[in-house]
Amino acid sequence: MSVPSPLRGPAAAIAYLLAAARTNGMRVNRTKLAKLLYLADLRAVERGLPPGSGVEWRWRHYGPHSLRLGEVERDLREAGVILVEESADPFGGNRESVVHLVDAPQLAIDAEFARIVDGVLSDYGRWSAGQLRDLTYQTPPMQEAVKQHRREARLDLAGGPPLPDLGSGLARLRQWAKDHPLPGDEPGGVEDLLEESQDLAEPRAEATRHLLEE
């Protein structure tokens, strides 16, 4: 019987946060999950560490969010690691999606980032989704995005202006390279350099002999 591989990257970060929240009796819905992970990434960067969630944050869905979270949630649901329960929000009466950890998977997660998640949960884990949303709007990356009216912009967790979106530019460059392949007789190609080097071998040798005789 094969041993399941440990969860890594965003899946491990989500599972760890849910496990720590369950241990402390905290209720986590989708909105809280996203905002708590964002705050953990932000705290990691403030301490000079890389963000540990492994997702890209943008200003969407009432604050920082990542579409990657939805993809990971689907994978974890299909694997039977989590269960998403639709229920009424006890604070506002609206429907909410509460995320439960139903398995105890092996996790490959950085120990320092795990401690950061623990600290964020200790500070904010019992806050409502609305309170967390308002808090994230006060963080420097979100303030920069709002100041520049850059909804959907990539957030710079270091607090600078929103980062440039490189995806479309890289796609255009790849398409241009595909549409403009180098010709076989491109000047300066390796074959031409080898041929030129061979043609000049004898003149170079003759010049060297003259220099040594002087």
Side-chain angles (χ1 to χ4, degrees), residues 193-204:
L193 287 174
L194 288 174
E195 182 178 350
E196 180 180 354
S197 178
Q198 292 169 355
D199 291 342
L200 296 176
E202 183 58 31
R204 283 201 305 271

Short mmCIF file of all heavy atoms in Angstrom, two decimals, residues 193-204:
data_model
loop_
_atom_site.label_atom_id
_atom_site.label_comp_id
_atom_site.label_asym_id
_atom_site.label_seq_id
_atom_site.Cartn_x
_atom_site.Cartn_y
_atom_site.Cartn_z
N LEU A 193 30.22 31.55 -38.05
CA LEU A 193 31.39 31.86 -37.26
C LEU A 193 32.45 30.77 -37.39
O LEU A 193 33.65 31.06 -37.49
CB LEU A 193 30.99 32.02 -35.79
CG LEU A 193 30.22 33.30 -35.44
CD1 LEU A 193 29.76 33.24 -33.99
CD2 LEU A 193 31.09 34.53 -35.68
N LEU A 194 32.03 29.52 -37.40
CA LEU A 194 32.97 28.42 -37.56
C LEU A 194 33.64 28.48 -38.93
O LEU A 194 34.86 28.29 -39.05
CB LEU A 194 32.24 27.08 -37.39
CG LEU A 194 31.81 26.73 -35.96
CD1 LEU A 194 30.98 25.45 -35.96
CD2 LEU A 194 33.04 26.56 -35.07
N GLU A 195 32.85 28.76 -39.97
CA GLU A 195 33.42 28.83 -41.31
C GLU A 195 34.41 29.99 -41.44
O GLU A 195 35.49 29.85 -42.02
CB GLU A 195 32.29 28.99 -42.33
CG GLU A 195 32.76 29.02 -43.78
CD GLU A 195 31.61 29.13 -44.75
OE1 GLU A 195 30.43 29.00 -44.31
OE2 GLU A 195 31.87 29.35 -45.95
N GLU A 196 34.03 31.15 -40.87
CA GLU A 196 34.92 32.31 -40.92
C GLU A 196 36.21 32.04 -40.16
O GLU A 196 37.30 32.41 -40.60
CB GLU A 196 34.20 33.52 -40.32
CG GLU A 196 35.05 34.79 -40.34
CD GLU A 196 34.31 35.96 -39.74
OE1 GLU A 196 33.11 35.81 -39.44
OE2 GLU A 196 34.93 37.02 -39.56
N SER A 197 36.11 31.37 -39.02
CA SER A 197 37.28 31.05 -38.23
C SER A 197 38.23 30.14 -39.00
O SER A 197 39.46 30.32 -38.98
CB SER A 197 36.86 30.40 -36.92
OG SER A 197 37.99 30.04 -36.16
N GLN A 198 37.67 29.17 -39.71
CA GLN A 198 38.50 28.26 -40.49
C GLN A 198 39.18 28.98 -41.65
O GLN A 198 40.35 28.73 -41.95
CB GLN A 198 37.64 27.10 -41.01
CG GLN A 198 37.14 26.17 -39.91
CD GLN A 198 36.08 25.21 -40.40
OE1 GLN A 198 35.64 25.29 -41.55
NE2 GLN A 198 35.67 24.30 -39.54
N ASP A 199 38.48 29.91 -42.32
CA ASP A 199 39.06 30.64 -43.45
C ASP A 199 40.22 31.54 -43.01
O ASP A 199 41.16 31.77 -43.77
CB ASP A 199 37.98 31.51 -44.11
CG ASP A 199 36.93 30.68 -44.83
OD1 ASP A 199 37.22 29.48 -45.10
OD2 ASP A 199 35.84 31.20 -45.10
N LEU A 200 40.16 32.05 -41.79
CA LEU A 200 41.18 32.98 -41.32
C LEU A 200 42.30 32.29 -40.53
O LEU A 200 43.19 32.96 -40.04
CB LEU A 200 40.53 34.06 -40.43
CG LEU A 200 39.53 34.99 -41.12
CD1 LEU A 200 38.91 35.92 -40.11
CD2 LEU A 200 40.21 35.78 -42.24
N ALA A 201 42.24 30.99 -40.41
CA ALA A 201 43.23 30.28 -39.61
C ALA A 201 44.64 30.49 -40.14
O ALA A 201 45.57 30.79 -39.38
CB ALA A 201 42.89 28.78 -39.56
N GLU A 202 44.83 30.33 -41.44
CA GLU A 202 46.18 30.47 -42.01
C GLU A 202 46.70 31.90 -41.93
O GLU A 202 47.85 32.12 -41.53
CB GLU A 202 46.18 29.98 -43.46
CG GLU A 202 47.57 30.03 -44.11
CD GLU A 202 48.60 29.21 -43.36
OE1 GLU A 202 48.21 28.18 -42.74
OE2 GLU A 202 49.79 29.60 -43.33
N PRO A 203 45.87 32.93 -42.30
CA PRO A 203 46.38 34.30 -42.14
C PRO A 203 46.74 34.65 -40.70
O PRO A 203 47.73 35.34 -40.45
CB PRO A 203 45.20 35.16 -42.64
CG PRO A 203 44.48 34.28 -43.59
CD PRO A 203 44.59 32.91 -43.01
N ARG A 204 45.97 34.14 -39.73
CA ARG A 204 46.30 34.42 -38.34
C ARG A 204 47.62 33.78 -37.95
O ARG A 204 48.44 34.35 -37.23
CB ARG A 204 45.17 33.91 -37.42
CG ARG A 204 43.94 34.78 -37.39
CD ARG A 204 43.12 34.51 -36.11
NE ARG A 204 42.79 33.10 -36.00
CZ ARG A 204 41.69 32.54 -36.52
NH1 ARG A 204 40.83 33.30 -37.19
NH2 ARG A 204 41.45 31.25 -36.37
#
